[in-house]
Amino acid sequence: MSDTAGAATQGEHHAHEDHHGPQGLLKYIWSTDHKMIGMQYMFTGMFMAVIGGFMAYVFRMQLAFPGMNVPGFGQVSPGEYNALVTNHGTIMIFWVAMPVLIAAFGNFLIPLMIGADDMVFPRINRLSFQIFFLSAVILLASLFVQGGGFGGAWTAYPPLSAVAEYNQTNLGSSMWLIAVALEFVAFLLGGINFITTLMNSRAPGMKAYDIPLVAWMIVIASILFMLSVGPLIAGAVMLLFDQTLGTGFYDPARGGDPILWQHLFWFFGHPEVYVVLLPAIGVTIEIIATFARKKVFGYKLMLYTTVATGVLSFFVWAHHQFIAGIDPRMANIFTITTLLISVPIAELCFVIIATLYGGSIRLTTPMLWALAFMAEFLIGGVTGIFLGASGADIFFHDTYFVLAHFHYTFFPIAIIGTFAAFTYWFPKMFGKMMNDTLGKIHFWGTVIPFNFIFIPLFILGLGGQHRRIYNYQHFPELAGADMYVLRQIATIALLVMLAFQLVFFFNCIKSWMSGEKAGRNPWKSNTLEWTTESPPPHGNWPVDEMPNVYRGPYEYAHPDREEDYWPQNEPN
Amino acid sequence: MIERYLAQMSTYAGSIDGLILLVAVLVGFWFFAAEGMLFWLVWKFRERPGQKSQYLTGTEHHIKRWITWPHALVLVCDVFIVIGSIRVWNEVKQTLPEPDSTIRIIGQQWAWTFQHPGPDNELDTPDDIFTVDALHIEVEKVYHFKLESRDVLHSFSVPVFRIKQDALPGRSITGWFEATMTGEHDIQCAEICGIGHGVMAARIFIEDAGQHAAWVAANSNSTTP
Amino acid sequence: MKPIATTRSATGIPTGRLAIWWVLASEVVIFGGLLGSYLMHRLGHPEWANAAAHTNVWFGATNTFVLLTSSFTAVLAHQAAEAGNGKKAAGLLLMTMGGALTFLVIKSIEWTNEIMHGYTITANGFWSFYYTAAGLHGLHVIAGAIVMGFIAFDAYRGRELQRVELIGIYWHFVDVVWIFLFPLLYIAK
Ligand code: HEA
Ligand code: HEA
Ligand code: CUA
Ligand SMILES: [Cu+2]
């Protein structure tokens, strides 16, 4: 496959010209092209990641050096602290992890990977981004309204979230809720697009088991999202009415029930963690297959396991509520289901590890990120078992042990997995190779400090430190000097990590401006996105060169072939 | 494991710590096995010039068992963890031993009110002792607590006891504990309850019989705050 | 020119129909969550039956009839569109929209009445659920009617006739939701 083949087809692009629509800057804003929408999601997500990271910086400084004037922010009041933590959590999950891993890569990759020229509903796709963008604006605006941003935690348990008198952020809490609800609507629209595109627009010859796993994972995640979020949308409407109209859906004094919200929230909340996990697993397996030059170990096994995980995830939600006042007998049932889910997830991990067996492993930057995802996620996964055991959760609930558990899952997913995907597909997205040395500096400068942030937090959790407390001086047992040392290690590690992000941004700009040309298929990968130009033109392929598919996506090192890869679109 | 960081001061603290140790051993084994395998494979199968990787589909029986066996064994580990967990849960949350005394704990933004039964050891009688942010109990006595909230959710947590329970408005939730040692320790509010969540601290004073009797005698005239 | 992606059908099911079923799947869980919550509360509060006694079964029943009729004209519109008769389909869609309008008018008379009697959304738990569930349903009626207008406009010119079927499927769903709401809110005393 040579680069020059692209030049000969330049003329073909005119065929597409007539649905280009608006010109100039508007061309980017009003584009219906899936790649452009993917980019919009990605840069919005990146921007929000910087904001979420900045918030983490501010409150970690406050935790390590209470009462200090945080450079770039100033004094942190208790109300501000709560708002920062709440919005950090909300942003990182709903405006970073989901838009980047699902919406950005889903938009960019699904049509390319299945050999289509766009999504099946390009205009709904654009609408989805616009609603998403609006939701981000509302969320950010909520931080600056009178009373400040919402500070009742990302889980927004009523009555605190429902009654202005209690949370003292009348406007902030409603805006937060509306922003989250709009974000859900955006992802429902996007999800319908992903699902139907994958179902209907595959290239001729592409059967269900020829679809690259990452596309499957994103679509299964979208289905999971769609089937779990509904009750919470209804719940959010009820909460909004409680806030604004004064109804009493969650007010026990008026026949309501605060626990109802917790059920609706976690019925969504737990599947949601797999919604973000699955795309990251997909990215990892894709990268590992490419750089180990190996067929994925048990493609179908992986797919079925994922579906099993999805189904099981609907039956574990109450493990977040063991001590919330639910019937204690329910805890036993949910302990069983929660522990059961370790089986399919363990299987996913084992499959990824087993894929390495017999490979020929090249440690490029994307591969390092993918391997780091696996290594670090295992820590997050196994610590979930401590929490799933109801007896142990009596102690662990709402301690920093929980916090460290889920940062050891979320960080590998939303940051490490994202960097893996970003560095892997960067050549395709921008047509240039990224600088590998800078990439590796950034990699080590992110992953090593990451462990130094959150290992100390595990220990603090074991010492009984609870979450969402802006200053531990009121708790004599938590105010000891050794505890502060741990908190300071975490904060300093964060500062180091943030500094290394500059390397990443520098690398992006440098590679984008003056990087080596990538060519169509720099990694010698099999999947269809690598068969077109980098970056792909509008329409992805010339109209008369739309790919046909002849085999599965992971035929690396096939014994019958000289070359160690076998693109999906190459006739036998 | 935890007792290195936090004293065990209730009758069930040992059971909870034991369960945590059980989980640590079982998942620790798998964790190190998986990490070890990962790093070993990366090293063993690193790229060597001129060497092609192997073509394995993962459906070959002799290879697949490397997945199916561990996966069955994980399930076995799960069974042990579930049994251990349910036993501890039963001990702490599902059984209520006969109380020697009953107290009421009321959370509100942002303080704890404790209602002690007073000299007659009966709750809701005129001689009850009310305190704010200070709970006085006697060592080696079974206490029932009735947990309530006046506004939002709070959570009553005594780390050295390993006990934690959310307080809900409109409900009264009963739980129990029995201290094994005297001392003075933190009570935390473990559920975000607004701006003052971080200052909703209280202390628990675990006294021996003599001290406790003296405290009761000295305070039995106090009135509702 | 439409993207090639929109013209493919690997499953054999037209993409539009596939999408509308997924939309409905997500709608089912939204209403499922709401009605599930309502049922749990209702079982826990037998006294809500007193409040429910003040709903007007006649208004509810008439609206049920109106919606069923409009669903019927939607079916006829689909048939006309199948037969390629865009003008007729558009006319029938207009009748369906008329049904939607009737439904909303009856609803607003009913609500005005109830609110005047002091049964507002904050009166008690039952009324909160009553207005929320019926209101959410009402929003679906309004949204459906608006989209239907655009589709009728296109159909009249003989364009995008396949969409007549899609809006019909959606309309049946709106109808079915009402069939659940009516007994749960009005009849169960
Ligand atoms: C993407 C994120 C993500 C992921 C993947 C997970 C995965 C898991 N989580 Fe986690 N969790 C969160 C995000 C996530 N979680 C968040 C955000 C919270 C807190 C929310 C809040 O309160 O703010 C939370 C909180 C949370 C709690 C509630 C704690 C509390 O508040 O009291 C529990 C309790 O059961 C739990 C359990 C689990 C389990 C059992 C898994 C399992 O899926 C893990 C399975 C994986 C493995 C087990 C590893 C691989 C297996 C092996 C190596 C084999 C060996 C294993 C055995 C022998 C069992 N999590
Ligand atoms: C995806 C989820 C996610 C991520 C990534 C993070 C990242 C971090 N979190 Fe966060 N956190 C949460 C989700 C997440 N968190 C949630 C849900 C809560 C609970 C909130 C609540 O209680 O209500 C929480 C709470 C929370 C607390 C508890 C506060 C408290 O309870 O009092 C703390 C304390 O240290 C903390 C710290 C950090 C730190 C230091 C990071 C650092 O790792 C951050 C570093 C960030 C970066 C370095 C950004 C790098 C990214 C880019 C540069 C962009 C790349 C983008 C592309 C390539 C497209 N977090
Ligand atoms: Cu009370 Cu937190
Ligand atoms: Cu969970």
Side-chain angles (χ1 to χ4, degrees):
Chain A
M1 203 123 318
S2 80
D3 256 340
T4 43
T9 58
Q10 283 297 321
E12 298 294 334
H13 297 166
H14 289 294
H16 287 277
E17 219 75 306
D18 37 55
H19 67 278
H20 258 181
Q23 293 298 312
L25 197 61
L26 284 181
K27 190 170 99 193
Y28 297 105
I29 297 175
W30 289 96
S31 170
T32 52
D33 183 66
H34 69 98
K35 298 182 289 297
M36 183 56 68
I37 293 172
M39 293 288 170
Q40 291 170 341
Y41 266 115
M42 189 153 70
F43 286 113
T44 318
M46 205 187 259
F47 176 72
M48 295 303 269
V50 172
I51 296 196
F54 175 75
M55 291 173 156
Y57 151 78
V58 175
F59 63 67
R60 277 251 45 106
M61 290 297 272
Q62 159 69 19
L63 288 175
F65 312 103
M68 94 175 284
N69 241 319
V70 181
F73 187 87
Q75 209 82 24
V76 185
S77 74
E80 280 166 349
Y81 181 88
N82 286 354
L84 285 169
V85 170
T86 302
N87 287 285
H88 159 80
T90 319
I91 286 180
M92 286 297 197
I93 296 175
F94 295 127
W95 279 273
V96 178
M98 293 201 41
V100 175
L101 281 170
I102 299 190
F105 287 107
N107 263 308
F108 188 80
L109 293 176
I110 289 176
L112 279 168
M113 282 190 152
I114 64 171
D117 56 347
D118 208 333
M119 289 283 173
V120 287
F121 300 113
R123 282 185 297 171
I124 292 184
N125 208 15
R126 185 182 61 197
L127 181 67
S128 143
F129 174 75
Q130 287 163 338
I131 296 178
F132 170 76
F133 190 79
L134 178 69
S135 75
V137 172
I138 295 180
L139 186 82
L140 292 179
S142 81
L143 299 173
F144 300 101
V145 295
Q146 203 226 336
F150 175 58
W154 79 289
T155 49
Y157 285 179
L160 180 62
S161 59
V163 183
E165 199 186 309
Y166 296 148
N167 57 43
Q168 300 175 18
T169 52
N170 188 8
L171 266 172
S173 39
S174 297
M175 285 172 76
W176 179 90
L177 188 63
I178 290 170
V180 172
L182 280 179
E183 200 261 4
F184 289 165
V185 172
F187 276 89
L188 281 178
L189 293 176
I192 288 170
N193 230 332
F194 293 168
I195 300 167
T196 44
T197 304
L198 188 89
M199 286 175 85
N200 255 359
S201 303
R202 299 196 297 271
M206 185 177 246
K207 296 186 289 292
Y209 297 130
D210 298 333
I211 301 171
L213 278 170
V214 68
W216 264 127
M217 295 281 175
I218 292 174
V219 166
I220 294 174
S222 301
I223 296 177
L224 262 184
F225 177 79
M226 185 178 274
L227 296 182
S228 62
V229 81
L232 184 57
I233 291 183
V237 171
M238 293 192 256
L239 184 54
L240 192 66
F241 285 174
D242 271 14
Q243 288 177 346
T244 53
L245 301 178
T247 51
F249 287 112
Y250 302 116
D251 178 0
R254 290 197 285 152
D257 181 4
I259 303 247
L260 170 66
W261 168 266
Q262 301 184 11
H263 286 302
L264 299 176
F265 185 89
W266 290 116
F267 180 79
F268 159 76
H270 195 88
E272 166 69 12
V273 307
Y274 299 121
V275 168
V276 295
L277 170 65
L278 295 181
I281 295 243
V283 165
T284 304
I285 194 72
E286 212 70 34
I287 293 175
I288 284 185
T290 302
F291 291 110
R293 316 307 290 162
K294 266 295 305 291
K295 199 176 163 75
V296 165
F297 191 97
Y299 177 104
K300 290 189 191 174
L301 184 69
M302 185 118 187
L303 198 55
Y304 298 154
T305 313
T306 308
V307 174
T309 310
V311 173
L312 256 181
S313 73
F314 283 99
F315 302 99
V316 302
W317 79 88
H319 66 212
H320 296 270
Q321 300 161 257
F322 283 146
I323 58 140
I326 57 172
D327 185 333
R329 283 164 302 184
M330 256 163 77
N332 296 331
I333 300 166
F334 281 96
T335 295
I336 295 173
T337 54
T338 300
L339 281 163
L340 268 184
I341 213 158
S342 67
V343 176
I345 304 233
E347 189 151 320
L348 290 177
C349 297
F350 294 162
V351 165
I352 291 180
I353 295 172
T355 301
L356 293 167
Y357 180 87
S360 170
I361 297 168
R362 268 194 281 156
L363 291 180
T364 56
T365 309
M367 184 64 165
L368 286 178
W369 285 114
L371 293 170
F373 166 79
M374 198 60 259
E376 304 284 10
F377 175 76
L378 279 171
I379 303 182
V382 296
T383 49
I385 302 303
F386 289 80
L387 308 173
S390 51
D393 191 56
I394 301 171
F395 172 64
F396 282 130
H397 176 71
D398 262 346
T399 62
Y400 264 57
F401 191 93
V402 175
L403 190 98
H405 151 67
F406 72 74
H407 280 84
Y408 260 104
T409 53
F410 268 139
F411 191 91
I413 291 169
I415 308 290
I416 297 184
T418 297
F419 282 133
F422 188 82
T423 48
Y424 181 65
W425 279 289
F426 185 91
K428 184 51 59 186
M429 291 188 287
F430 301 102
K432 302 283 180 62
M433 299 305 286
M434 275 188 113
N435 183 313
D436 209 48
T437 316
L438 287 178
K440 283 187 175 140
I441 293 173
H442 173 231
F443 169 78
W444 292 110
T446 303
V447 169
I448 295 173
F450 162 61
N451 291 289
F452 278 93
I453 301 178
F454 292 106
I455 299 270
L457 300 190
F458 270 125
I459 301 172
L460 287 169
L462 291 177
Q465 171 176 321
H466 282 121
R467 300 166 60 184
R468 300 157 181 162
I469 289 178
Y470 80 106
N471 186 340
Y472 289 97
Q473 71 187 18
H474 305 284
F475 301 91
E477 275 154 36
L478 299 175
D482 44 345
M483 290 222 149
Y484 270 103
V485 170
L486 289 171
R487 287 181 201 124
Q488 283 155 1
I489 293 176
T491 302
I492 290 165
L494 173 66
L495 295 178
V496 174
M497 184 208 267
L498 290 176
F500 273 97
Q501 302 315 306
L502 298 177
V503 179
F504 169 73
F505 288 116
F506 174 71
N507 191 5
C508 284
I509 294 172
K510 181 172 171 307
S511 307
W512 179 63
M513 302 217 304
S514 61
E516 192 190 325
K517 274 237 183 309
R520 293 192 172 210
N521 193 357
W523 311 124
K524 298 195 184 346
S525 182
N526 286 343
T527 42
L528 293 179
E529 79 271 25
W530 302 105
T531 66
T532 181
E533 289 162 53
S534 309
H538 193 83
N540 298 343
W541 287 270
V543 185
D544 52 355
E545 282 177 31
M546 296 297 285
N548 280 7
V549 170
Y550 300 94
R551 67 188 60 76
Y554 303 113
E555 297 302 312
Y556 292 103
H558 196 279
D560 300 347
R561 267 177 65 98
E562 188 60 29
E563 278 277 23
D564 77 343
Y565 68 116
W566 202 354
Q568 286 188 278
N569 67 333
E570 235 168 67
N572 288 324
Chain B
M1 199 164 72
I2 295 191
E3 59 277 12
R4 295 229 339 256
Y5 305 99
L6 205 58
Q8 287 177 349
M9 310 224 6
S10 72
T11 46
Y12 44 60
S15 318
I16 293 185
D17 291 0
L19 172 64
I20 293 172
L21 191 65
L22 171 79
V23 179
V25 168
L26 290 179
V27 305
F29 166 76
W30 286 104
F31 170 69
F32 285 111
E35 295 278 4
M37 197 60 158
L38 176 68
F39 284 105
W40 182 72
L41 287 174
V42 170
W43 187 76
K44 177 96 197 319
F45 294 100
R46 66 191 181 281
E47 186 181 26
R48 293 196 185 81
Q51 189 179 315
K52 214 171 163 185
S53 55
Q54 303 169 24
Y55 186 79
L56 305 165
T57 62
T59 44
E60 301 88 345
H61 189 70
H62 69 288
I63 309 225
K64 206 174 163 185
R65 61 169 186 232
W66 283 94
I67 299 279
T68 39
W69 275 97
H71 153 200
L73 290 175
V74 167
L75 195 60
V76 174
C77 292
D78 279 350
V79 173
F80 282 102
I81 297 173
V82 166
I83 292 173
S85 170
I86 290 183
R87 285 178 53 175
V88 174
W89 180 261
N90 251 310
E91 180 186 347
V92 182
K93 293 280 183 184
Q94 257 175 297
T95 42
L96 278 176
E98 270 306 304
D100 295 315
S101 187
T102 302
I103 52 175
R104 178 172 286 118
I105 302 171
I106 303 162
Q108 75 191 85
Q109 284 179 329
W110 293 284
W112 293 103
T113 305
F114 300 103
Q115 184 180 359
H116 306 77
D120 66 352
N121 207 17
E122 294 260 350
L123 208 59
D124 294 325
T125 49
D127 68 344
D128 286 356
I129 305 173
F130 288 87
T131 55
V132 174
D133 288 347
L135 172 60
H136 290 260
I137 61 162
E138 193 180 325
V139 70
E140 278 161 3
K141 285 264 161 26
V142 175
Y143 279 85
H144 278 193
F145 59 80
K146 296 192 176 305
L147 188 58
E148 291 163 20
S149 164
R150 292 214 178 117
D151 37 43
V152 300
L153 305 186
H154 301 274
S155 190
F156 175 73
S157 166
V158 187
V160 288
F161 285 2
R162 311 287 187 271
I163 184 68
K164 188 174 295 142
Q165 177 62 53
D166 281 7
L168 282 85
R171 295 246 301 266
S172 175
I173 297 172
T174 308
W176 71 282
F177 54 74
E178 180 185 345
T180 53
M181 277 182 249
T182 55
E184 185 195 325
H185 290 280
D186 275 350
I187 296 174
Q188 303 188 24
C189 173
E191 187 70 69
I192 186 148
C193 51
I195 288 175
H197 168 64
V199 298
M200 199 163 155
R203 298 289 277 176
I204 183 165
F205 299 90
I206 312 161
E207 295 146 349
D208 62 32
Q211 284 168 331
H212 190 67
W215 179 82
V216 171
N219 289 278
S220 52
N221 296 327
S222 75
T223 45
T224 317
Chain C
M1 201 187 89
K2 286 189 163 181
I4 297 167
T6 60
T7 59
R8 284 184 180 158
S9 178
T11 54
I13 306 168
T15 305
R17 201 187 299 160
L18 211 57
I20 205 80
W21 283 114
W22 282 108
V23 171
L24 296 195
S26 61
E27 295 272 10
V28 165
V29 278
I30 296 178
F31 280 103
L34 189 60
L35 290 183
S37 306
Y38 167 67
L39 278 178
M40 295 302 289
H41 277 78
R42 185 71 196 262
L43 295 175
H45 294 274
E47 75 277 9
W48 285 9
N50 301 331
H54 293 286
T55 56
N56 192 324
V57 183
W58 290 112
F59 276 110
T62 319
N63 258 345
T64 312
F65 176 74
V66 171
L67 268 193
L68 281 174
T69 318
S70 72
S71 247
F72 180 65
T73 50
V75 173
L76 294 181
H78 173 208
Q79 278 176 1
E82 292 273 89
N85 190 341
K87 289 210 167 62
K88 185 169 170 204
L92 285 160
L93 282 184
L94 275 183
M95 286 172 68
T96 314
M97 286 166 71
L101 195 67
T102 320
F103 176 89
L104 292 170
V105 168
I106 295 180
K107 188 104 260 176
S108 35
I109 297 173
E110 183 190 1
W111 279 17
T112 318
N113 229 324
E114 278 152 1
I115 291 170
M116 301 236 290
H117 282 85
Y119 304 123
T120 61
I121 188 164
T122 52
N124 77 5
F126 172 81
W127 291 106
S128 301
F129 272 110
Y130 171 84
Y131 285 107
T132 308
L136 202 62
H137 175 261
L139 278 182
H140 281 76
V141 173
I142 296 173
I146 292 173
V147 174
M148 209 175 277
F150 287 104
I151 290 175
F153 185 79
D154 273 347
Y156 188 76
R157 283 167 179 67
R159 289 195 302 242
E160 309 277 14
L161 284 182
Q162 82 284 0
R163 289 189 182 159
V164 175
E165 179 195 359
L166 306 183
I167 192 71
I169 297 177
Y170 173 84
W171 200 251
H172 299 324
F173 169 77
V174 171
D175 203 357
V176 168
V177 170
W178 182 255
I179 305 263
F180 275 93
L181 288 184
F182 177 55
L184 288 177
L185 293 177
Y186 290 80
I187 299 182
K189 294 276 154 73

